[in-house]
Amino acid sequence: MEQITINTTADKLYFSRALNLIGSIKKNHRQNTPIIVWDKGLTRLQQKIIRSLGVEIRKIEKFSPHWNECYSWKFFVYKKSPAGIFLHLDAGNTVLAPLDYVFEEAQRTGIFLVEQGQILEQITPKEMHLRLNPMASLNDEVFAAGNIALNKSDPKVSAMIDELYNASLAGECLGYSQIESYRDKSELKITRDCALFRHDQTIINLILRKHFAEPKLHNHRHFASVSLYPDTVIFNNRSLRHDHIAHVSSSKAISYLILTYCLAFDIFSRIPRLTKKLLST
């Protein structure tokens, strides 16, 4: 099998989520699986903590003026991840069982995708569909951009990643549906004509289907579940969890020291926002 790596991305506010993911991988997959954290704004102390755990950090470069908007950085990570098979899990995911099947499927087919319970029409502007891939059926099921494994030794995957990266450079990920215009904190003022534009997810769902006509989508209950089931392999948690941080180090003392830091940081970093919310109600 090709070399494998597991990738996630974090800034300082997502540090504990990334550590919880790392702890879950070490506990439930394999202790020696190479993990890369892509740095989108970690503090120096957080970087030192991650490196002390034997986890590599790579910096997300400011590769375009909008690199940090609307998940544009995601395709930089795809492109710059080391050659071989890489699984990208958004920080906040928790691995609950071995990931062997995920990597075997990516080795065999070039890709591992997880369905999201939507169809392409819901997340795709009409003009973008016509421009990026008019042959894609708008009735196709949508797959996740965060829970995804790719085999970069596959020529089709390599060509797709190049196309995705160029799309990111061109600003294709930017913008919001009318219903989410309140999220436009940077005042991009780009309105996308669809029910719910999903930025990187919309773009990869269009472009991947140029290279893979009928991609297999795996059940989100198993590999991106927002609820816990007995057969869930990857739990796509939507809130703070710290239960696997105790497994980030072979030393329990170090693990619990890191856990204490995470709990304190998460509490104090959210006090200004909590205070503002309480005062506004």
Side-chain angles (χ1 to χ4, degrees):
M1 181 178 285
E2 297 280 346
Q3 175 197 3
I4 65 171
T5 60
I6 301 175
N7 295 246
T8 193
T9 307
D11 60 14
K12 62 183 180 181
L13 293 179
Y14 277 75
F15 175 69
S16 66
R17 289 179 170 92
L19 281 197
N20 199 61
L21 171 60
I22 291 167
S24 73
I25 293 167
K26 290 187 174 186
K27 178 187 177 187
N28 297 317
H29 180 56
R30 293 195 182 92
Q31 283 283 341
N32 60 350
T33 302
I35 302 170
I36 300 174
V37 173
W38 292 84
D39 180 3
K40 202 166 71 71
L42 296 166
T43 69
R44 290 184 181 180
L45 176 57
Q46 289 170 345
Q47 293 171 1
K48 288 181 180 178
I49 291 172
I50 290 172
R51 291 193 179 100
S52 75
L53 302 173
V55 174
E56 182 181 355
I57 294 179
R58 296 196 177 198
K59 186 74 174 177
I60 296 180
E61 299 169 11
K62 297 178 182 179
F63 61 95
S64 74
H66 51 265
W67 72 276
N68 201 24
E69 302 284 351
C70 300
Y71 302 93
S72 296
W73 48 265
K74 185 74 67 68
F75 299 143
F76 175 90
V77 172
Y78 288 6
K79 186 170 178 63
K80 299 298 182 178
S81 290
I85 299 170
F86 76 92
L87 168 65
H88 186 281
L89 295 175
D90 287 339
N93 282 289
T94 305
V95 173
L96 301 177
L99 298 168
D100 296 347
Y101 174 76
V102 173
F103 294 115
E104 289 166 3
E105 186 74 0
Q107 171 78 31
R108 186 177 67 84
T109 68
I111 55 177
F112 179 87
L113 309 175
V114 184
E115 54 92 12
Q116 292 286 282
Q118 296 172 300
I119 61 170
L120 202 53
E121 183 178 28
Q122 294 172 290
I123 69 168
T124 305
K126 295 180 179 63
E127 63 82 20
M128 188 172 283
H129 175 233
L130 293 173
R131 182 161 47 80
L132 295 184
N133 186 5
M135 300 303 293
S137 170
L138 292 177
N139 290 317
D140 281 353
E141 288 187 276
V142 170
F143 58 84
N147 296 36
I148 185 170
L150 301 172
N151 183 353
K152 296 180 74 171
S153 67
D154 186 316
K156 291 191 295 183
V157 172
S158 180
M160 177 191 72
I161 290 174
D162 285 343
E163 194 169 348
L164 291 171
Y165 182 71
N166 289 334
S168 179
L169 287 174
E172 299 287 8
C173 297
L174 302 179
Y176 299 88
S177 301
Q178 186 64 46
I179 196 172
E180 288 195 321
S181 59
Y182 67 92
R183 295 179 57 207
D184 188 9
K185 307 301 183 185
S186 300
E187 297 189 353
L188 298 171
K189 299 188 184 303
I190 300 173
T191 301
R192 299 297 190 180
D193 181 24
C194 60
L196 197 63
F197 183 60
R198 292 291 80 188
H199 317 295
D200 57 313
Q201 189 179 43
T202 296
I203 305 307
I204 191 173
N205 269 272
L206 285 171
I207 290 178
L208 181 138
R209 286 177 168 86
K210 293 172 65 175
H211 303 270
F212 295 87
E214 296 182 358
K216 178 180 178 180
L217 274 56
H218 294 79
N219 193 320
H220 73 275
R221 167 173 165 157
H222 302 308
F223 299 105
S225 180
V226 296
S227 300
L228 282 172
Y229 299 97
D231 54 357
T232 296
V233 176
I234 300 172
F235 176 39
N236 188 4
N237 181 51
R238 299 300 176 91
S239 60
L240 283 172
R241 288 181 71 97
H242 302 89
D243 46 320
H244 283 84
I245 295 177
H247 303 283
V248 293
S249 171
S250 57
S251 166
K252 287 298 181 184
I254 292 175
S255 294
Y256 284 111
L257 185 62
I258 292 171
L259 174 58
T260 301
Y261 166 82
C262 288
L263 289 168
F265 185 91
D266 287 341
I267 290 169
F268 286 104
S269 65
R270 281 157 178 79
I271 285 176
R273 284 187 289 170
L274 290 172
T275 302
K276 183 178 179 181
K277 185 175 181 180
L278 286 171
L279 292 174
S280 64
T281 57

